[in-house]
Amino acid sequence: MLNRIMIIALITLVSSLMTVIFAFTSIRVANNADRPSIVVDTELPQTPEKLTILKIEPFSVTEQDISLIASELFDLNGEISYSDGVWKVVDEAHERELLIYDSGFIRFFDRYKLRTSMIEESKIMDKEELLEKANEFIMKLNSLGLMPMNVTIGLSSEDSIVNDMISIMYRNGTTRSYVNNVHVNYKLYYEGLELYGPGAKFRIYFDDKGNVIGFLGVFFRVKEYKELTILSPMDAVNKLYDVGFGRSMPINLVDRAVVKSIKLVYFVPTPSVNTTYIIPAYIIKGELIGKNGEKQEFIQIVWAVSMDELKHF
């Protein structure tokens, strides 16, 4: 059976891990006649000269383990199969599915409830009840050895509890909105640095009765693989000229890009059996201002290590 994992910080937002120390910098503008200027309208974070690439350790479970996980966590009894590094448990009659990757990702969906649930806002559990339910679920994860190792977890400060809404249009032409589900969001950290990206989701979905109807999580084990020199924040900003601004506004129509925030993270790619390395990256957010005055928000990921180094991963 899976090894029981000791969790350093469970359901606790450790403020010291989330603190980012900033060094004051004035607005900087990069000018070039053939390309838009970049204005840095934020304080640049202090960052280390080097960071360590993380490697996800392979993780093996048995069919018996999968059956126990499905039953204990999700009351799911269905056909179990294994292919290309992914365990799957499917209850087709109720549209419920569990995926567990050897690389340490877990996904559960009650597709019927996620598609059809309509909850009156007055019947939504209050924050304390939701967090208690989430805590109970995470304790179950821990008892089954399904919490990440060497990684700490804390509630997301910006959107810890989110209501997903659906709108129903009736035959008389009226429209009414309902809460489809409520989910509790967490963030993951390694040595104080946030894990970010599609593979770093840790989210528990509840219906109006407090039943878990969806879960995105990780239970991978990470180890330090290789220390590399990383780009400075300003070097990462200048890389936007190479990687673009992540939006549809043609570069020749952009007058300037205003950087509003820049954060150093560990980027975790989309879950797959081949997900192996977790690499430092900068998340840069800001606003594009077109030559015609049009404005668009942008977000771009810039790798914090050189492309030459990335070729080896």
Side-chain angles (χ1 to χ4, degrees):
M1 187 50 203
L2 309 177
N3 293 329
R4 189 180 180 89
I5 303 172
M6 295 300 293
I7 304 300
I8 298 172
L10 192 61
I11 321 303
T12 302
L13 183 61
V14 184
S15 60
S16 61
L17 293 178
M18 299 190 65
T19 301
V20 180
I21 302 174
F22 291 99
F24 180 78
T25 181
S26 59
I27 294 177
R28 305 185 184 191
V29 183
N31 290 313
N32 187 297
D34 298 326
R35 58 187 184 180
S37 62
I38 298 178
V39 180
V40 179
D41 190 18
T42 185
E43 296 174 340
L44 296 178
Q46 288 185 347
T47 56
E49 292 184 3
K50 294 184 177 183
L51 268 179
T52 303
I53 302 292
L54 304 180
K55 186 175 182 180
I56 296 174
E57 292 289 279
F59 193 88
S60 298
V61 293
T62 66
E63 184 171 337
Q64 183 179 3
D65 296 333
I66 297 298
S67 178
L68 179 63
I69 291 167
S71 175
E72 290 289 320
L73 286 179
F74 307 110
D75 193 25
L76 173 63
N77 296 294
E79 181 181 348
I80 299 176
S81 62
Y82 179 81
S83 177
D84 297 327
V86 182
W87 288 94
K88 183 182 292 187
V89 184
V90 179
D91 176 2
E92 291 186 359
H94 299 94
E95 300 182 47
R96 306 172 79 222
E97 180 181 67
L98 170 65
L99 304 175
I100 296 181
Y101 295 76
D102 285 348
S103 49
F105 300 91
I106 180 170
R107 300 288 185 262
F108 168 72
F109 307 97
D110 186 327
R111 299 187 186 281
Y112 178 77
K113 287 188 177 180
L114 286 170
R115 188 177 70 249
T116 63
S117 291
M118 296 186 294
I119 309 170
E120 297 282 354
E121 290 198 52
S122 61
K123 295 182 179 180
I124 297 174
M125 292 182 290
D126 60 30
K127 182 176 181 178
E128 288 71 23
E129 288 179 292
L130 281 167
L131 293 181
E132 183 177 348
K133 289 286 186 181
N135 186 47
E136 291 173 359
F137 181 76
I138 290 180
M139 293 300 290
K140 286 184 178 180
L141 288 172
N142 190 37
S143 70
L144 293 169
L146 291 175
M147 289 295 287
M149 189 172 183
N150 303 331
V151 174
T152 55
I153 179 174
L155 276 172
S156 171
S157 59
E158 304 94 2
D159 53 359
S160 59
I161 297 177
V162 176
N163 298 339
D164 281 341
M165 306 296 294
I166 58 172
S167 295
I168 305 296
M169 179 176 289
Y170 296 94
R171 290 181 178 178
N172 62 6
T174 61
T175 301
R176 187 171 179 183
S177 294
Y178 296 89
V179 176
N180 173 252
N181 67 80
V182 181
H183 56 268
V184 182
N185 296 323
Y186 297 87
K187 288 188 176 182
L188 305 173
Y189 303 88
Y190 181 82
E191 297 293 330
L193 207 59
E194 180 184 341
L195 273 61
Y196 180 96
K201 306 295 185 187
F202 201 99
R203 182 178 297 167
I204 311 168
Y205 295 80
F206 295 98
D207 64 12
D208 58 327
K209 298 179 177 60
N211 299 313
V212 175
I213 60 174
F215 176 58
L216 307 176
V218 300
F219 58 96
F220 49 51
R221 281 90 166 120
V222 299
K223 71 173 186 179
E224 296 188 347
Y225 177 69
K226 184 178 182 180
E227 188 177 59
L228 296 174
T229 300
I230 66 170
L231 300 177
S232 71
M234 199 62 213
D235 286 340
V237 168
N238 287 325
K239 280 288 183 180
L240 291 172
Y241 286 124
D242 299 323
V243 302
F245 299 97
R247 290 306 299 260
S248 59
M249 186 184 293
I251 194 71
N252 63 309
L253 299 181
V254 178
D255 177 65
R256 64 188 182 278
V258 182
V259 173
K260 298 289 187 179
S261 71
I262 178 169
K263 179 167 64 172
L264 181 63
V265 300
Y266 273 116
F267 185 81
V268 187
T270 300
S272 78
V273 67
N274 297 317
T275 300
T276 305
Y277 297 101
I278 299 176
I279 298 173
Y282 286 99
I283 308 303
I284 302 176
K285 298 180 182 180
E287 183 178 60
L288 299 179
I289 301 175
K291 294 176 181 178
N292 63 355
E294 179 186 354
K295 296 182 179 180
Q296 286 187 6
E297 292 184 351
F298 77 88
I299 178 171
Q300 185 59 286
I301 298 167
V302 177
W303 298 116
V305 297
S306 71
M307 292 303 297
D308 288 338
E309 292 286 0
L310 285 178
K311 291 177 183 177
H312 302 294
F313 295 96

